[in-house]
Amino acid sequence: MIQIMGTPFQMTNLGNFGNVERMIIQRMHEDPALHPYRSMDEFLFEVHTRKNIIDSSIGMNDSEMEFTVFEYARCNPQYWHLTDTGGFWLRGDVQPSNAIRDIYENSSLYAFDCSTACVIIFYHAVLNSIGDHNFNLIFPNLYLYSWHADSDLGLHNVYTQHYIPGDVVYFNNPDFHPEIYWLRGENAVVLGDDTYFGHGFGIMNAQQMIETLNENRRPQSTQSAYLLDSITRLNFNHLASITMLQRGYLTYKKQQMIIHHNQTSISFIHYLFYLNQSLTL
C-alpha cells in the first residue's frame, strides 16, 4: 500500500508514468506492507531510483565486467586501489562519481563477486538519481567489498515474500559443492515479471536461477537451492531527504566497520551476521 502525506495513493494517476515505473508502482500498491511518504517528491524519488537500479543492472549484464572470487578481483588503478583482500579503495585524487561511472565505461578492467556487484549497482543507480554534485558530497570515501556500503545508502533487510523491482533477493544453495564454493548462492536484482539479474548468471527467471545452482551441488545431494523470503533494500526516503539538505555534517560522518570475510557470494543477512559478530567481540 502506498500512502503520501497520510493519504492513499490513487492508482488512477498513472498516466504520466512509463511502463517500468507503472510496474514498480503496481507492485508497491500490492504490497501488504505500508510504503509511507512525506511528500510526492519523496515517492517519485523512490520510483525513479528503482527504475535506475533496473537500468544499472541491465547495463552490468550488457558489460564486460566479470564474476570472480575476492582473490582474483581487479579494478582500474586510475580510479581505485586494489587491496590485498580484493576490495576497491577510492583514490584520493578522483571524484567518487567518476570512479563509479568508470566501472561501467571501462568494464573489461573490473572483476568482482555478486555481492559487490549489487552494491555497485545501487551506487550507480543513486548517482544517476541525484547527480554528481550530491553524490560526491554524500559518498566521499567509497570502499567496495562484498556488502560493505556507506551508511547513507541505508542498506537494510526486510523479511517478505513480496518483491518489488529494484530489490535484491538471494537464491540460497545450502548443499553447494565445496570445490565450487562461489556458488553457495546468488544475489540477484528483481527486474520484474519474474526476471532477475545476477552477476555471473545474467538475466534469468527464478526457476532458471535455482536450476543453475542445483547443477553445482554436492554429489547425491537432494536439497534444492531456493529463494529466501527476504530482500535487501535501500533506504529511499533517507536518500531523498539528505539530497535536499546541506551536507556540512558529513565531515563528522561515522564510517561503517569493514568486515573482510573472504566468503564469495554471501547474502546480506550473512554479512550482517559477520558484522554483528565483530561488534560483540
Side-chain angles (χ1 to χ4, degrees):
M1 178 181 176
I2 303 167
Q3 191 178 80
I4 302 174
M5 294 182 289
T7 302
F9 178 76
Q10 299 301 312
M11 293 298 290
T12 55
N13 299 332
L14 297 181
N16 294 326
F17 294 97
N19 291 336
V20 175
E21 290 91 340
R22 285 198 293 268
M23 174 181 66
I24 293 167
I25 295 170
Q26 183 66 40
R27 289 295 291 166
M28 293 170 69
H29 173 71
E30 295 167 350
D31 192 349
L34 179 64
H35 294 266
Y37 303 92
R38 290 165 292 188
S39 68
M40 179 60 74
D41 285 343
E42 198 172 72
F43 167 65
L44 294 175
F45 177 87
E46 175 164 344
V47 173
H48 180 57
T49 303
R50 284 184 177 275
K51 180 183 183 300
N52 285 342
I53 292 171
I54 295 170
D55 291 343
S56 294
S57 301
I58 294 171
M60 184 173 288
N61 180 67
D62 294 340
S63 76
E64 297 180 67
M65 305 173 207
E66 293 182 2
F67 175 92
T68 193
V69 299
F70 293 111
E71 181 182 0
Y72 301 112
R74 66 176 190 270
C75 55
N76 186 349
Q78 292 185 0
Y79 291 89
W80 306 92
H81 297 291
L82 179 63
T83 67
D84 292 339
T85 53
F88 306 162
W89 275 116
L90 179 71
R91 288 177 58 103
D93 57 347
V94 299
Q95 294 282 11
S97 57
N98 293 336
I100 291 295
R101 282 209 177 88
D102 185 73
I103 300 175
Y104 283 78
E105 293 170 358
N106 291 296
S107 58
S108 63
L109 301 179
Y110 292 86
F112 38 80
D113 83 316
C114 65
S115 55
T116 308
C118 291
V119 176
I120 291 170
I121 286 169
F122 282 149
Y123 277 130
H124 189 254
V126 171
L127 168 60
N128 289 332
S129 295
I130 68 178
D132 290 40
H133 177 72
N134 283 326
F135 188 88
N136 293 333
L137 285 174
I138 297 170
F139 305 111
N141 301 305
L142 293 180
Y143 179 59
L144 304 177
Y145 177 88
S146 185
W147 280 107
H148 175 79
D150 188 287
S151 59
D152 277 328
L153 208 56
L155 294 187
H156 62 285
N157 179 71
V158 177
Y159 288 98
T160 181
Q161 293 181 329
H162 189 90
Y163 313 126
I164 299 172
D167 289 338
V168 169
V169 297
Y170 188 72
F171 292 87
N172 190 35
N173 190 16
D175 231 1
F176 64 91
H177 197 293
E179 294 181 3
I180 317 174
Y181 57 87
W182 53 89
L183 289 179
R184 59 170 45 86
E186 178 72 359
N187 294 287
V189 178
V190 180
L191 303 181
D193 299 324
D194 190 39
T195 58
Y196 305 83
F197 166 71
H199 182 52
F201 278 46
I203 295 175
M204 299 180 174
N205 63 36
Q207 188 57 39
Q208 290 170 327
M209 289 274 183
I210 290 170
E211 289 173 357
T212 302
L213 290 171
N214 282 345
E215 292 169 358
N216 295 278
R217 292 181 292 172
R218 294 176 183 272
Q220 286 80 53
S221 171
T222 59
Q223 186 173 11
S224 173
Y226 60 94
L227 180 57
L228 291 185
D229 294 338
S230 68
I231 56 93
T232 305
R233 181 177 288 169
L234 299 179
N235 188 334
F236 295 99
N237 290 358
H238 173 70
L239 284 166
S241 64
I242 63 174
T243 302
M244 305 171 192
L245 298 175
Q246 297 296 320
R247 303 295 299 175
Y249 79 92
L250 278 174
T251 305
Y252 310 103
K253 182 164 66 168
K254 182 179 179 180
Q255 297 301 310
Q256 295 283 75
M257 180 181 291
I258 300 171
I259 306 298
H260 291 112
H261 50 74
N262 198 32
Q263 299 292 307
T264 305
S265 303
I266 66 171
S267 67
F268 183 64
I269 297 173
H270 199 163
Y271 182 79
L272 289 178
F273 171 77
Y274 287 134
L275 182 61
N276 290 332
Q277 272 193 325
S278 297
L279 291 173
T280 56
L281 291 178

